[in-house]
Amino acid sequence: MKKLSKLGESKDLILYLSKNDFKTKYAGSYMGIVWAFIQPLVTIVLYWFVFEKGLKSGAVSDVPFILWLMAGLIPWFFFQEALVNATNCFAEYSYLVKKVVFNINVLPVVKVVSSLFVHVFFLFLLVGAYVLMGYFPGIIALQLLYYSFCMIALVLSLAYMTSAFSVFFKDTVQIISVLMQVGTWMTPILWNMDSPDMTSSLGKFVFILKLNPMYYVVSGCRGTLIDGTMFYQRPRLTLYFWLFVLVMSLLSGFIYRRLKPHFSDSL
């Protein structure tokens, strides 16, 4: 609670640093921050072309494949970018870490908020696509904000641990990046794990895949937009997700506090 209180007092600093982080990431390129939106758009089109046109993937849950795909990819884009960037925050802002008076606890939050700018744009794009294609679910679409909050909580519950490790073990960022590539397939984002045929072929392995906390978010976003499912209609998954976040937050906080005093010596 004390850490949350201090972060709340630093909200203006967090917002300022987040805006600056977002702008400077693409500084020097001709198209600037436009690149932040082009890469996810190209990825969506590429996956859509490969799976729907190349592999002849049809409608999923009675909606066009592109809508089903976007509802899974867009949350994953945010989670992936936020976690990878937050993991590298202390190395990137090493000049701030070495300042005694600066509250370095805000740096993982800065990276998450910076990633939110693009995520908000793609949330509007996602809802707009459903509206244009005649599949708008109505007011329940606001539940996407809840699942966005879930991802923020999840990333922060992991980021303080991964960012602390990365100060001493420089390969941490690369390891997280590889795990994100694996996670794209294991969450799953690009195939329907809940289909009867897939459930039958995977057997008990389905249970293991559902232990991935991002399964809760991705399936929740799809359930919101496609089936109109409220989060409280999945009580077991909801309880598991928040227990996972709580346990990881406690573990992450413990590791962060133990390693923090040695950051300046290692950067």
Side-chain angles (χ1 to χ4, degrees):
M1 294 300 293
K2 188 176 181 181
K3 182 186 290 187
L4 289 176
S5 176
K6 288 184 177 180
L7 289 177
E9 295 171 0
S10 305
K11 59 181 181 298
D12 292 336
L13 175 63
I14 291 173
L15 185 58
Y16 169 77
L17 289 176
S18 299
K19 290 180 179 178
N20 187 65
D21 180 86
F22 180 64
K23 292 177 182 178
T24 57
K25 188 182 298 183
Y26 302 95
S29 63
Y30 287 111
M31 297 178 64
I33 62 174
V34 175
W35 286 113
F37 305 95
I38 289 179
Q39 184 175 351
L41 284 172
V42 170
T43 302
I44 291 172
V45 172
L46 178 63
Y47 282 139
W48 167 76
F49 181 80
V50 170
F51 281 88
E52 183 169 322
K53 301 303 180 182
L55 300 178
K56 306 299 181 183
S57 298
V60 182
S61 301
D62 298 324
V63 301
F65 178 78
I66 184 63
L67 294 182
W68 180 87
L69 176 67
M70 289 176 66
L73 269 179
I74 287 173
W76 183 258
F77 286 152
F78 169 71
F79 174 72
Q80 178 177 255
E81 180 183 8
L83 183 57
V84 171
N85 290 342
T87 298
N88 195 46
C89 66
F90 295 130
E92 184 175 343
Y93 288 99
S94 58
Y95 60 94
L96 292 178
V97 176
K98 295 176 182 179
K99 287 187 176 181
V100 179
V101 296
F102 185 79
N103 178 18
I104 66 171
N105 295 342
V106 305
L107 292 179
V109 182
V110 165
K111 286 297 186 178
V112 172
V113 175
S114 176
S115 299
L116 266 177
F117 296 137
V118 175
H119 180 60
V120 170
F121 167 81
F122 277 98
L123 281 183
F124 279 106
L125 179 66
L126 176 62
V127 173
Y130 273 77
V131 170
L132 289 175
M133 299 186 72
Y135 291 90
F136 181 59
I139 193 67
I140 196 176
L142 290 174
Q143 189 173 235
L144 294 176
L145 298 177
Y146 162 74
Y147 286 110
S148 295
F149 175 75
C150 288
M151 286 190 291
I152 293 172
L154 177 60
V155 170
L156 289 177
S157 74
L158 299 169
Y160 281 93
M161 176 173 58
T162 59
S163 59
F165 281 148
S166 70
V167 173
F168 305 95
F169 184 54
K170 307 302 182 183
D171 291 341
T172 303
V173 177
Q174 284 69 35
I175 292 173
I176 295 296
S177 298
V178 170
L179 290 176
M180 292 299 99
Q181 294 178 10
V182 175
T184 304
W185 297 96
M186 300 299 287
T187 299
I189 307 297
L190 304 173
W191 52 281
N192 186 13
M193 185 174 68
D194 296 318
S195 67
D197 291 341
M198 193 61 68
T199 302
S200 176
S201 62
L202 289 175
K204 294 182 179 180
F205 193 58
V206 170
F207 173 78
I208 297 175
L209 290 176
K210 288 184 177 181
L211 292 178
N212 178 349
M214 273 303 291
Y215 168 78
Y216 172 72
V217 175
V218 169
S219 61
C221 291
R222 284 172 172 160
T224 297
L225 294 171
I226 298 172
D227 303 316
T229 304
M230 296 296 293
F231 73 91
Y232 56 75
Q233 293 176 275
R234 306 190 302 159
R236 292 183 179 179
L237 277 174
T238 299
L239 178 61
Y240 167 74
F241 176 85
W242 287 111
L243 282 175
F244 181 91
V245 169
L246 175 61
V247 171
M248 291 308 302
S249 296
L250 294 174
L251 177 62
S252 189
F254 172 77
I255 292 173
Y256 176 73
R257 288 190 298 271
R258 293 294 299 270
L259 297 179
K260 180 182 175 182
H262 309 288
F263 284 179
S264 296
D265 297 331
S266 300
L267 288 171

